[in-house]
Amino acid sequence: MYFSSKLPNVGTTIFTTMSKMAQDYDAINLSQGFPNFPIDPLLQEIVQKKTLENVHQYVPMAGLPALLDKVGELIFNQYQRQIDATTELLITAGATQAIFTVVQAIVQKGEEVIILDPSYDCYESPIILVGAKPIRIPLNEDFLPDWKKIRDAVSSKTRLIITNNPHNPSGKVWHKEDFKELEKLVNDFPNLMVLSDEVYEFIHFENKHLSVNCSEILKNRSIVVSSFGKTFHITGWKVGYVVAPELFMREIKKVHQFLVFCVNSLAQASLAEYMNYVDVSKLGKFYQNKRDDFRLKMKNSRFELLPCEGSYFQLAKYATISNENDVEFAKRLVIENGVATIPLSVFNANGDDRKILRFCFAKDDKTIQQATEKLCKI
Ligand code: PMP
Ligand code: GLN
């Protein structure tokens, strides 16, 4: 039988690999990005209560109306953007499904999609699966967009540019000027759309996160993706949402209805109620304290910490410790030092290795204490 892979270059993700290594070697897991502390007891209580209610059957395809309303309110309160929750919003099974669905719905065979490296791992495969071409453009040294390089790569064939802000893996947040450049770009290229991955939209520190939702120009040219996983410490629930202008949302819903139809009803009902009580503006401070704690405890280590402005990731250079490549170094760190991290080069199409590791600080105090003690001994 003749059979060839549609994704010949895809293997097991680095997140799965490093989390498995952490387990196998009984190491502290600062690799895959997920919180290891309990969820809000109020959310727990709401879920328990909801299981006794009649919320266990299919809900409307685009989302439970009560949750759509709550997300609409959240977007208005946060960004003063008024969306029509019935035509411009979709609840998805996390941001990964959202991104896959958007690419299937929007990008045609032969078109091009710009990805900015280092980039999160779920962007490229959906592009390849539709027969389009991913164009990987490196961010600059500070992990911000290099607008000259981006402009040089955009043409009439470019359907989408995928942006991610606050940024995984660097923890960088975009500046006002970056938004101005993006506005100019979409003005110059009338077919270009933005897929704005804002899953860490509420996790930002000294510099406020600016969203495409705030720009009159960009909001009509962007599809915004977010995830409750990050916002409410429930990465395993896999619930997120997409905001898009109606023209595009119609197409996105066509794909969504045959990919999942509707998203987990118990989760949606619980989140709709929980959002009456929870204050997302506290999330930045919550993670800022964790970042500060991690940085303080790493002060006497030989790692050089890079700036961290958002997300729950801290980057650190290890060039003064070893000249091994980052994948080898990260593996050795698990085996010999008992801490799992993520090597940065895997986020780059060209494998560029700047001797940087990513540490996830979305962890309880004890984990941060134990991990940093080990890291300071290296
Ligand atoms: N985008 C980025 C930048 C991420 O870090 C993640 C993973 N946490 C996702 C998308 C996927 O989110 P989800 O777990 O909701 O699918
Ligand atoms: N977003 C998580 C990270 O960056 C990984 C989630 C996953 O394993 N798919 O660590």
Side-chain angles (χ1 to χ4, degrees), residues 12 14 17-18 21 318 322-335 339-348 351-358:
T12 306
I14 191 71
T17 305
M18 295 311 288
M21 270 194 89
Y318 63 87
S322 166
N323 57 13
E324 278 163 287
N325 75 49
D326 62 357
V327 175
E328 274 169 22
F329 184 66
K331 287 187 174 163
R332 198 162 62 78
L333 219 59
V334 181
I335 298 165
V339 182
T341 62
I342 297 287
L344 209 72
S345 65
V346 299
F347 295 80
N348 293 321
D352 184 28
D353 172 17
R354 285 166 55 187
K355 312 268 177 268
I356 295 174
L357 297 180
R358 189 195 80 174

Side-chain angles (χ1 to χ4, degrees), residues 40-47 49-50 53 66-67 70-71 73-74 77 228 231-232 268-283:
D40 185 345
L42 176 62
L43 181 54
Q44 241 161 352
E45 211 178 282
I46 290 172
V47 179
K49 195 184 77 182
K50 286 286 167 194
E53 292 179 15
L67 183 58
K70 282 285 143 201
V71 176
E73 265 173 42
L74 179 71
N77 293 338
F228 292 111
T231 306
F232 299 138
Q268 290 199 63
S270 303
L271 286 168
E273 180 162 338
Y274 182 57
M275 287 177 76
N276 288 320
Y277 309 107
V278 67
D279 179 2
V280 294
S281 70
K282 293 194 176 134
L283 196 64

Side-chain angles (χ1 to χ4, degrees), residues 94-96 120 123 164 168 197 199-200 227 230 238:
T96 310
Y120 185 59
Y123 303 150
N164 172 213
N168 177 9
D197 177 346
V199 298
Y200 301 102
S227 174
K230 320 290 161 183
K238 298 300 292 187

Side-chain angles (χ1 to χ4, degrees), residues 1 10 16 21 43 54 86 91 105 112 144 166 190 198 207 242 260 325 334:
M1 183 176 82
V10 172
T16 304
M21 270 194 89
L43 181 54
N54 180 18
T86 60
I91 304 297
E112 296 183 351
L144 285 170
E198 302 190 19
N207 300 331
V242 179
V260 279
N325 75 49
V334 181

Side-chain angles (χ1 to χ4, degrees), residues 24-88:
D24 291 349
Y25 289 92
D26 200 20
I28 300 174
N29 191 359
L30 304 189
S31 63
Q32 196 175 25
F34 64 89
N36 77 337
F37 41 83
I39 64 167
D40 185 345
L42 176 62
L43 181 54
Q44 241 161 352
E45 211 178 282
I46 290 172
V47 179
Q48 277 169 350
K49 195 184 77 182
K50 286 286 167 194
T51 58
L52 303 174
E53 292 179 15
N54 180 18
V55 296
H56 302 286
Q57 309 309 327
Y58 295 133
V59 296
M61 183 270 286
L64 190 70
L67 183 58
L68 291 171
D69 286 348
K70 282 285 143 201
V71 176
E73 265 173 42
L74 179 71
I75 291 166
F76 182 76
N77 293 338
Q78 198 66 24
Y79 306 115
Q80 286 70 57
R81 176 179 180 183
Q82 185 81 57
I83 59 163
D84 181 339
T86 60
T87 58
E88 296 177 312

